[in-house]
Amino acid sequence: MSDGGITVLDGNTLRSLHVSLPEDRVTLTGAQVLDFAESEASQSLFGISLPPHLKSSALRLINIDGVDDDTSFRRTELSREEASRKLSDYLSAIADVLKDNPLVVSILDGNTLRMFLEDEDDFAMIAENLFTDLDTEDKGKISKSEIRNAVVHMGVEMGVPPLEEFPLLNDILKKHEEEEGELGQSQFAELLQPILQELADALAKKHVVFIHKIKIVNGSEIRKVLADEKKLNDVIAKALHGKHKNDQKSTEIIRDFLEKNGKELGLPPSEANEAVILLYDAVFTDIDSGKDVSLDEDESRKLVREILENFAEQLEANPVYCDLDG
């Protein structure tokens, strides 16, 4: 794929993996099995380091919960059959966690930078915009040292990895920062071009996979609530028996409750973005807004279930992306 864009890792590639333990091992420790599984999963997911929250959630699914359980399992000697079973279970658990909470990544391989460099007009516009942003005093000149800020400012969206993710970028910049002085716009563009070219070449040899701080809400967590009668009853009780105005319709009461508490059920925060507002409008437009407040328990259950099922269907068809930094 072209870098700067995004790829969603939802666990599907892991489900098609056919992984076997090393032939020369008759027994393995739990630690060796987990490390092997994580290595195979990483390779299948563009070489990313599996985030700690992903590993801990997957371990809980295979009944390894907490530091004590983890330490104990890692020390355990497993037969080849036991190890194979645990390997398969762990990979399936990682896939299950990714299904509910996919990772959003950008694969930076230099393609986006090369496209900018090959199009003179695009490159000229980028260089001009960067120079203008840095020329805060509107002098028509900036310090040569600002070239570092310019490159970093381009960001992942334009194919530039963060310095901490790609230390080689720091080496590239240092080579062009040896001399002090000031740059006009044309000089700035002339200096920027070889830096970006060298960065593109470096990324072509060693890709960077950047994990975005984005949560995808796809309806899977709501379906778990719908499948759990106890949780569903609890939602109904809280939604319909909390504080509300006497003249409120049932759908208004439920919407108020979900906008305030929906995150706990797997709904996107109501204040996240315009897409969430449109989602709520779409769901409640499909529901009969004329229902009376005083529904009996069975009618209430049907109404809440219908609304949650509608949310799940809408989110499955059109997942909502929430910026966790926002």
Side-chain angles (χ1 to χ4, degrees):
M1 63 163 284
S2 174
D3 58 3
I6 62 172
T7 292
V8 176
L9 306 181
D10 59 6
N12 280 339
T13 56
L14 295 180
R15 298 186 192 284
S16 59
L17 275 184
H18 298 288
V19 179
S20 299
L21 293 167
E23 292 292 338
D24 60 340
R25 303 305 297 267
V26 178
T27 63
L28 296 95
T29 64
Q32 289 171 323
V33 173
L34 297 183
D35 290 345
F36 183 71
E38 288 165 9
S39 175
E40 292 293 321
S42 174
Q43 289 180 42
S44 180
L45 300 172
F46 302 103
I48 67 168
S49 295
L50 302 186
H53 71 82
L54 171 58
K55 292 189 285 188
S56 61
S57 296
L59 288 171
R60 280 196 294 274
L61 291 179
I62 59 172
N63 300 316
I64 301 175
D65 191 2
V67 175
D68 291 342
D69 281 354
D70 183 70
T71 301
S72 175
F73 176 77
R74 287 179 180 277
R75 292 174 177 170
T76 303
E77 285 278 339
L78 303 172
S79 68
R80 187 174 179 83
E81 182 180 347
E82 291 172 324
S84 293
R85 186 165 56 250
K86 191 61 73 172
L87 170 65
S88 177
D89 289 348
Y90 189 30
L91 287 172
S92 295
I94 293 172
D96 289 342
V97 174
L98 286 172
K99 180 182 177 182
D100 289 344
N101 293 285
L103 294 178
V104 180
V105 303
S106 286
I107 302 159
L108 309 178
D109 58 9
N111 282 338
T112 296
L113 290 173
R114 277 191 289 275
M115 285 192 295
F116 289 141
L117 291 165
E118 289 168 2
D119 189 310
E120 291 184 8
D121 291 337
D122 277 353
F123 176 73
M125 183 176 66
I126 290 168
E128 180 181 352
N129 290 340
L130 288 170
F131 184 87
T132 301
D133 288 343
L134 294 169
D135 184 18
T136 55
E137 297 180 6
D138 200 22
K139 296 191 307 181
K141 294 278 186 180
I142 62 171
S143 169
K144 191 174 181 181
S145 63
E146 290 283 8
I147 196 73
R148 173 180 292 266
N149 292 333
V151 174
V152 172
H153 183 69
M154 290 177 70
V156 170
E157 292 75 14
M158 299 183 74
V160 177
L163 280 168
E164 63 272 16
E165 300 272 347
F166 195 60
L168 186 56
L169 174 55
N170 192 50
D171 297 335
I172 294 171
L173 289 168
K174 278 183 178 179
K175 286 195 298 184
H176 297 272
E177 293 174 330
E178 293 174 354
E179 298 179 8
E180 296 182 1
E182 290 190 320
L183 301 170
Q185 185 175 315
S186 61
Q187 294 169 308
F188 170 78
E190 289 173 7
L191 180 58
L192 179 65
Q193 190 169 23
I195 292 175
L196 296 184
Q197 184 63 63
E198 192 171 345
L199 176 58
D201 293 342
L203 287 169
K205 294 176 183 176
K206 185 180 180 181
H207 301 179
V208 172
V209 183
F210 178 79
I211 302 177
H212 293 272
K213 292 182 180 178
I214 293 175
K215 178 176 175 60
I216 298 180
V217 184
N218 56 16
S220 62
E221 293 180 48
I222 302 174
R223 294 202 181 279
K224 289 181 180 179
V225 174
L226 288 165
D228 188 322
E229 203 68 22
K230 185 176 182 300
K231 284 186 179 178
L232 184 59
N233 287 337
D234 188 46
V235 171
I236 291 170
K238 290 179 179 177
L240 296 175
H241 304 306
K243 293 181 180 179
H244 56 79
K245 298 176 183 177
N246 292 331
D247 58 348
Q248 273 189 298
K249 296 175 181 177
S250 296
T251 48
E252 292 173 344
I253 294 170
I254 295 169
R255 178 165 183 162
D256 284 349
F257 170 78
L258 292 179
E259 286 182 347
K260 293 174 183 175
N261 305 281
K263 189 176 178 181
E264 299 170 15
L265 307 176
L267 287 171
S270 58
E271 71 280 4
N273 51 47
E274 187 176 351
V276 180
I277 297 172
L278 294 174
L279 168 67
Y280 271 82
D281 288 345
V283 167
F284 282 92
T285 296
D286 290 343
I287 301 295
D288 180 11
S289 60
K291 295 191 182 213
D292 193 271
V293 173
S294 56
L295 298 173
D296 63 33
E297 195 68 20
D298 286 340
E299 291 172 322
S300 298
R301 181 186 301 278
K302 290 177 183 177
L303 178 60
V304 175
R305 182 185 290 275
E306 182 182 356
I307 290 171
L308 292 178
E309 285 176 346
N310 204 331
F311 268 115
E313 290 170 6
Q314 294 273 357
L315 287 166
E316 186 176 3
N318 298 290
V320 172
Y321 290 57
C322 299
D323 187 346
L324 297 179
D325 280 338

